[in-house]
Amino acid sequence: RARFPAPRAAVATIATTMPSVDSGPFKGVTTAAQFKAVLEGGAAAGRIAPPLVAGFLDFYQNYSAAVLGAGGSEATVTAVMAAIADRVLNQFSDPYTFPSRHERMTAPYNYYEFGQAYVRELVDFSKSLVGHADRFARVAAQLAAGDNVVLLANHQTEADPAVWALLLEGAFPGLATDVAYVAGDRVVTDPLCKPFSMGRNLFCVHSKKYMDVEPELKEEKQKTNRRTVSALSKALGAGGALLWIAPSGGRDRPSEAGEWRPAPFDPAAVELMRQLSAKAAPPGHLWPLAMHSGPMMPPPPAVQKELGERRLTNHVGVGIALGEELGIDAIVAGIDEGDREARAAAVARAAYEAVVAEYAPLRDAVGAGAGAGGAFSQPWAATKKEGKRARAARAVRQFFGMMSRA
């Protein structure tokens, strides 16, 4: 298709379309003991590497602690983990290669709902917040008019796309599903990440952080990046594109004191998106986006280039907040037009400072469990109390129940 569809009208329900039932060794697994037995049996038969077995069992344990601690059931934990293991192992036997532009896959297996169901169990909706819902409405209106929107966001966890969608799917379903992420190496190469990435719209790039990890592949990686820039240009030229990019090039890390703060933005990344947006015929808008999700799925303390990092999960509140749209002309006013580096640095600095300004109060409000008030709202609470949450839980049970009966 020529473009991602414009956001649909707001609805008060959560979609319950579920993926088709998949077959495989985890079909019918309903208990922790069965889950472990399948893994160990696969290792004994040489089908599953022992380190992967240990990793899955550790993943199961900490996911179980998070879900059970929030009042969830062991049956849900087992079903979720069995589904993840099934999809991950499928990547070893039938690996998917991401093109420069990937559109979310919902058939024959619904990878979007798969990812949503997993992360939904980790979100404490009573503490989660959306900052400046009126600005999200303005973004939706811009997209509906055929304009392009680029979100310049900080990035904290692998679950950020699901967090974005879960917090917006009720009030702004189009924003939840139709956003396209500029994605780096890890999310399209790590077998544990790939099934979740397959459920998102992506423009795939190779990060500068990993460009020289395999020197013999550097030239091909650079070619891929050029193809992706071309794909981005075409999407923006068609109009109505909603793009999400993390100009920091990776996930935020907490300080030694444990305080979360957005990592600095790379001016080159911001400038690329500004230029692509400006060159497109449809009008373009750059919005700073603050995301707070780090405590849910904290990354390793330091950037690790090896795949297969340990997955830690917690049931916590999360949040997103939009800053005001960037006024590029005002930002670069007074800077010589020929000094491109200075102008790019000024735009990146303005975007970063706007994200930081939104992030601190968002982080503090979520952490305090302050609830809706002032600039913060909880769109999922707009219907009858717990109505939406109940429907979401029913959707999870339906999805994973189907898989366990397969």
Side-chain angles (χ1 to χ4, degrees):
R1 62 189 179 190
R3 55 180 278 188
F4 292 110
R8 299 179 292 277
V11 296
T13 59
I14 293 176
T16 56
T17 301
M18 293 299 141
S20 57
V21 176
D22 216 32
S23 59
F26 289 92
K27 183 174 70 173
V29 169
T30 60
T31 68
Q34 290 174 341
F35 179 77
K36 182 179 181 181
V38 170
L39 287 172
E40 293 179 342
R47 294 190 300 270
I48 305 176
L52 191 59
V53 173
F56 267 123
L57 293 178
D58 179 66
F59 189 9
Y60 185 105
Q61 184 176 25
N62 71 69
Y63 186 72
S64 176
V67 175
L68 296 184
S73 70
E74 190 69 39
T76 297
V77 171
T78 303
V80 169
M81 292 305 302
I84 293 174
D86 175 71
R87 292 293 92 193
V88 169
L89 291 177
N90 184 62
Q91 286 305 305
F92 287 98
S93 60
D94 185 22
Y96 176 75
T97 300
F98 287 85
S100 292
R101 179 176 179 173
H102 165 84
E103 294 191 26
R104 67 191 185 109
M105 300 169 67
T106 58
Y109 189 91
N110 195 325
Y111 284 94
Y112 173 79
E113 288 296 339
F114 161 77
Q116 294 299 98
Y118 159 59
V119 177
R120 186 179 285 116
E121 294 301 309
L122 299 174
V123 175
D124 185 341
F125 285 90
S126 69
K127 296 180 180 179
S128 298
L129 296 169
V130 171
H132 308 290
D134 59 310
R135 296 173 185 170
F136 287 93
R138 285 162 55 192
V139 165
Q142 289 170 343
L143 292 165
D147 294 3
N148 296 312
V149 171
V150 176
L151 303 171
L152 303 171
N154 68 305
H155 174 36
Q156 296 200 329
T157 77
E158 295 171 340
D160 282 352
V163 168
W164 163 272
L166 286 167
L167 299 191
L168 295 180
E169 63 186 357
F172 303 102
L175 299 186
T177 59
D178 300 333
V179 61
Y181 300 88
V182 179
D185 305 65
R186 185 175 296 276
V187 298
V188 298
T189 55
D190 188 329
L192 192 53
C193 292
K194 288 174 69 175
F196 300 102
S197 300
M198 290 163 71
R200 311 293 167 182
N201 300 311
L202 304 177
F203 287 94
C204 304
V205 298
H206 293 284
S207 170
K208 289 190 294 186
K209 290 182 179 180
Y210 305 106
M211 188 64 70
D212 296 315
V213 172
E214 298 174 289
E216 68 278 11
L217 299 179
K218 183 174 182 178
E219 184 177 352
E220 183 57 37
K221 290 180 179 180
Q222 292 173 331
K223 289 180 180 179
T224 297
N225 283 359
R226 288 193 288 272
R227 288 193 294 268
T228 299
V229 170
S230 177
L232 282 166
S233 297
K234 290 180 181 179
L236 291 167
L242 174 59
L243 306 178
W244 184 104
I245 182 172
S248 65
R251 288 168 288 178
D252 303 336
R253 259 77 178 179
S255 68
E256 291 184 1
E259 182 177 82
W260 289 90
R261 179 181 173 86
F265 286 179
D266 178 4
V270 176
E271 179 62 10
L272 173 62
M273 300 310 297
R274 187 203 66 77
Q275 288 184 2
L276 291 174
S277 182
K279 289 178 180 178
H285 310 270
L286 273 61
W287 290 81
L289 172 68
M291 297 197 68
H292 178 61
S293 60
M296 170 189 285
M297 209 174 289
V303 175
Q304 66 178 60
K305 296 180 180 180
E306 301 80 13
L307 300 181
E309 68 181 51
R310 186 185 183 200
R311 264 67 183 187
L312 300 175
T313 56
N314 300 289
H315 184 268
V316 297
V318 293
I320 55 176
L322 273 177
E324 276 290 358
E325 180 180 348
L326 297 180
I328 304 300
D329 290 343
I331 292 171
V332 300
I335 303 176
D336 192 306
E337 290 188 9
D339 195 343
R340 296 182 178 179
E341 184 175 341
R343 291 167 73 91
V347 175
R349 182 169 56 253
Y352 176 68
E353 290 176 351
V355 168
V356 170
E358 293 296 336
Y359 181 78
L362 174 67
R363 175 199 62 205
D364 295 344
V366 170
F376 299 117
S377 62
Q378 296 177 317
W380 49 89
T383 55
K384 292 181 180 180
K385 186 176 182 181
E386 288 301 308
K388 250 185 185 182
R389 183 68 175 126
R391 282 192 292 274
R394 186 164 59 253
V396 172
R397 290 194 298 271
Q398 178 186 348
F399 171 29
F400 291 114
M402 287 171 64
M403 296 200 70
S404 67
R405 294 193 298 271

